Amino acid sequence: MSTPEQELLRRALAVLTSMAPAAIELGEVFKAAGHELALVGGPVRDAFLGRTSNDLDFATSATPDETQELLARWGDAHWDIGKEFGTIGARRFARGTGAQGADVVVEVTTYRSDQYDPASRKPVVAFGDTLDGDLSRRDFTVNAMAVRLPDLTFVDPFDGLTDLARGLLRTPIAPERSFDDDPLRMMRAARFAAQLGFDVDAGTLAAVVAMAGRIDIVSAERVQAELTKLLLADKPRKGLEVLVDTGLADHVLPELPALQLEIDEHHRHKDVYQHSLTVLEQAIAQETGPDGPVPAPDLVLRLAALLHDVGKPATRRFEPGGGVSFHHHEVVGAKLAAKRLKALKYEKQVVKDVSRLVELHLRFHGYGDGAWTDSAVRRYVTDAGPLLERLHRLTRADSTTRNRRKAQRLSDAYTDLEERIEALRAQEEIDAIRPDLDGTQIMQILGIRPGPEVGQAYKHLLGLRMEHGPLGPERAEEELRAWWAARR
Ligand SMILES: Nc1ncnc2c1ncn2[C@@H]1O[C@H](COP(=O)(O)OP(=O)(O)OP(=O)(O)O)[C@@H](O)[C@H]1O
């Protein structure tokens, strides 16, 4: 019989041995120079979860200058952008095959002993002398384990292994002090809950609830980075529930808890919040890589799935005859989503794409029983543009009815729409629809110079192309002349 911890240790040892050659070699380099070196953080935790990594974090007793000198002899490429925080990085290009067939990236950080400065309400970077001291300022016990090198001694001052075996996120020091030092750790609890499927320990969770408002002093960029990692996890629901249940979401993504108030009249779900989490999960199930079934996490799709109904609270109307409506919630939602993502400092393109998907997520429901004209299909494809594939996924994911027949009907209707798109695509260009005549041809035919009329003519021909499909140059010329004559 072996305890879960022993079982984990055995597994970790196998993983560590497989990634050890490069790490052990580095340990020997540091030892020869009289310094301590230990593998820390994510790679140690992941080794216990049976996952190898070629991205290794180390802590050392050496100063940043000493580390830089030692790494110069080990790696093939180096960087020191984190030197101010004690971190020097290096990459060793792949040698050999198998586990050694990939590049190894290392970041070595001088032992830290940051102290919280009550005046600036920020931790001040300081270097320390012990590994235990360094581990004590880490976020969670499962991230505060280390393996000394080159001898592979396991160091676990906060009993992280027990927490790992139980699937618990707990701060090594009192959570109130830890979150005071760096409130971002509260977001990180939600992120690791999503990534690892772990629960947040009761005391740690209570501290998040009590201190949620402190997240406001953290920069939007840092919050965004954690939210993104949370959303890109295989199963983000748990992390999102931590955000909402603790009140953190009221500060970083208030549109999400606001959905809890809404009763969804279309689907028999408790509320729009639960519906949104399910749509996110279903959208994730729809993700495939460009080369087939390898899942490729798609941030834009996931954000759109999570936020697609955020316009509902503001547009809810109770109708006189009973029932509820959310007219134009997609338009309102698109604006709210864009505003929130901008505040979180997401890149412009992400903001634009998510907002557009939110705006278009209902469009398909006008499709009914296949009664769309070719013109409506062209407009759907044109309005979605490069987001068409994602819109397909989002729209399919947005069906959470438990009524199987209704679900099947919706799915069949969407398949029908996709087939209509394919059929039209086989007949004509629909992915980048342009009028039959370009600006130069318009000017030639009408004998006019560049000016607003050319644009108006172009728009008129584009409208006809959308409505009727390709006209051909002759009919396009006739239509152009008729339009010109009518407006004179
Ligand atoms: N804000 C923080 N407060 C305390 N410790 C932190 C903080 N950020 C990082 N750490 C420590 O540094 C390690 C590396 O952080 P990082 O954010 O890279 O996480 P990770 O576990 O390596 O996962 P990933 O590389 O996927 O982000 C963590 O395991 C943790 O020990």
Side-chain angles (χ1 to χ4, degrees):
M1 278 287 283
S2 68
T3 63
E5 282 89 346
Q6 279 171 327
E7 186 47 44
L8 282 168
L9 262 174
R10 213 184 336 253
R11 191 163 2 141
L13 207 64
V15 171
L16 285 168
T17 317
S18 82
M19 63 189 186
I24 290 178
E25 204 181 305
L26 196 61
E28 272 156 3
V29 170
F30 276 70
K31 189 177 178 185
H35 303 296
E36 294 176 8
L37 185 78
L39 190 66
V40 287
V44 178
R45 177 199 68 222
D46 289 346
F48 283 104
L49 298 170
R51 305 178 197 151
T52 29
S53 167
N54 286 312
D55 223 331
L56 306 176
D57 290 333
F58 298 90
T60 182
S61 58
T63 64
D65 281 330
E66 289 164 342
T67 300
Q68 197 161 21
E69 213 182 295
L70 292 171
L71 278 184
R73 286 185 247 147
W74 180 86
D76 299 307
H78 305 87
W79 54 96
D80 65 358
I81 43 162
K83 194 167 178 181
E84 192 190 332
F85 305 99
T87 304
I88 306 292
R91 175 184 287 270
R92 182 184 257 204
F93 299 143
R95 291 174 169 75
T97 54
Q100 295 174 56
D103 287 9
V104 179
V105 177
V106 305
E107 293 217 310
V108 183
T109 306
T110 302
Y111 291 154
R112 296 264 298 263
S113 68
D114 304 3
Q115 290 298 319
Y116 182 68
D117 171 25
S120 66
R121 296 169 83 196
K122 279 185 183 155
V124 179
V125 176
F127 299 124
D129 343 289
T130 65
L131 178 59
D132 280 16
D134 181 279
L135 296 175
S136 73
R137 50 155 289 280
R138 289 176 182 265
D139 50 3
F140 302 106
T141 60
V142 293
N143 290 337
M145 302 184 287
V147 176
R148 285 190 190 274
L149 296 164
D151 52 324
L152 290 178
T153 314
F154 180 50
V155 181
D156 184 16
F158 304 102
D159 218 4
L161 191 54
T162 306
D163 287 339
L164 192 123
R166 291 186 189 151
L168 269 190
L169 295 164
R170 189 169 59 87
T171 50
I173 57 172
E176 295 77 12
R177 225 189 95 204
S178 176
F179 297 151
D180 220 19
D181 281 352
D182 184 0
L184 184 74
R185 292 173 188 163
M186 299 188 284
M187 284 293 296
R188 289 174 63 88
R191 186 255 275 202
F192 286 115
Q195 284 184 328
L196 306 173
F198 284 14
D199 292 323
V200 184
D201 151 80
T204 304
L205 197 66
V208 180
V209 172
M211 300 175 69
R214 292 292 308 274
I215 198 68
D216 291 343
I217 63 168
V218 177
S219 73
E221 287 84 354
R222 293 183 79 206
V223 169
Q224 187 231 93
E226 294 302 330
L227 182 64
T228 299
K229 284 182 180 175
L230 186 164
L231 283 173
L232 293 180
D234 290 345
K235 293 183 178 166
R237 178 188 282 263
K238 197 161 187 172
L240 291 166
E241 285 174 348
V242 170
L243 288 185
V244 171
D245 297 347
T246 57
L248 270 177
D250 294 333
H251 297 269
V252 299
L253 195 58
E255 294 75 11
L256 188 59
L259 296 176
Q260 280 177 308
L261 304 172
E262 306 306 309
I263 306 298
D264 187 345
E265 91 287 18
H266 291 306
H267 315 97
R268 255 183 267 133
H269 281 272
K270 260 201 330 226
D271 50 34
V272 185
Y273 168 63
Q274 285 301 329
H275 164 73
S276 298
L277 293 184
T278 305
V279 173
L280 171 62
E281 287 174 333
Q282 296 187 162
I284 291 171
Q286 303 258 344
E287 285 174 354
T288 49
D291 305 317
V294 184
D298 180 349
L299 181 65
V300 165
L301 176 65
R302 292 181 182 205
L303 282 167
L306 185 66
L307 303 177
H308 75 285
D309 273 346
V310 292
K312 280 195 167 174
T315 55
R316 180 169 63 163
R317 295 283 174 274
F318 294 104
E319 301 299 336
V324 192
S325 70
F326 302 97
H327 291 308
H328 305 303
H329 79 262
E330 73 283 16
V331 181
V332 173
K335 288 199 180 114
L336 286 175
K339 202 169 157 207
R340 175 57 49 201
L341 297 178
K342 223 188 265 173
L344 284 165
K345 302 267 165 73
Y346 274 100
E347 307 175 21
K348 273 201 186 117
Q349 195 62 44
V350 171
V351 178
K352 231 174 112 186
D353 289 351
V354 172
S355 171
R356 188 79 174 136
L357 283 168
V358 172
E359 192 180 339
L360 292 173
H361 85 271
L362 272 192
R363 180 79 84 80
F364 155 74
H365 293 281
Y367 187 68
D369 49 4
W372 274 16
T373 58
D374 282 355
S375 163
V377 174
R378 284 186 201 104
R379 285 180 203 279
Y380 191 72
V381 173
T382 303
D383 290 348
L387 297 171
L388 184 63
E389 198 50 48
R390 282 173 168 142
L391 183 58
H392 289 337
R393 291 175 188 173
L394 174 63
T395 311
R396 283 189 180 280
D398 190 15
S399 160
T400 59
T401 173
R402 300 221 179 110
N403 177 335
R404 285 200 186 179
R405 251 194 279 159
K406 191 172 171 198
Q408 193 57 49
R409 220 181 316 125
L410 280 168
S411 166
D412 289 348
Y414 208 86
T415 304
D416 190 57
L417 172 57
E418 284 180 315
E419 284 170 6
R420 287 277 305 280
I421 292 172
E422 273 318 307
L424 206 57
R425 192 176 270 142
Q427 279 173 33
E428 63 178 64
E429 165 65 59
I430 57 168
D431 294 300
I433 292 184
R434 267 185 253 271
D436 292 72
L437 302 171
D438 65 20
T440 314
Q441 290 166 316
I442 290 170
M443 288 189 286
Q444 246 171 19
I445 292 167
L446 300 182
I448 58 174
R449 293 170 166 280
E453 286 162 330
V454 183
Q456 289 155 13
Y458 188 91
K459 228 171 132 189
H460 175 67
L461 288 174
L462 181 60
L464 290 175
R465 168 68 178 79
M466 280 285 179
E467 202 52 40
H468 306 293
L471 306 176
E474 278 167 29
R475 176 139 173 246
E477 185 173 337
E478 273 169 34
E479 291 284 356
L480 177 63
R481 287 190 191 282
W483 171 81
W484 185 245
R487 67 189 295 284
R488 302 232 110 200

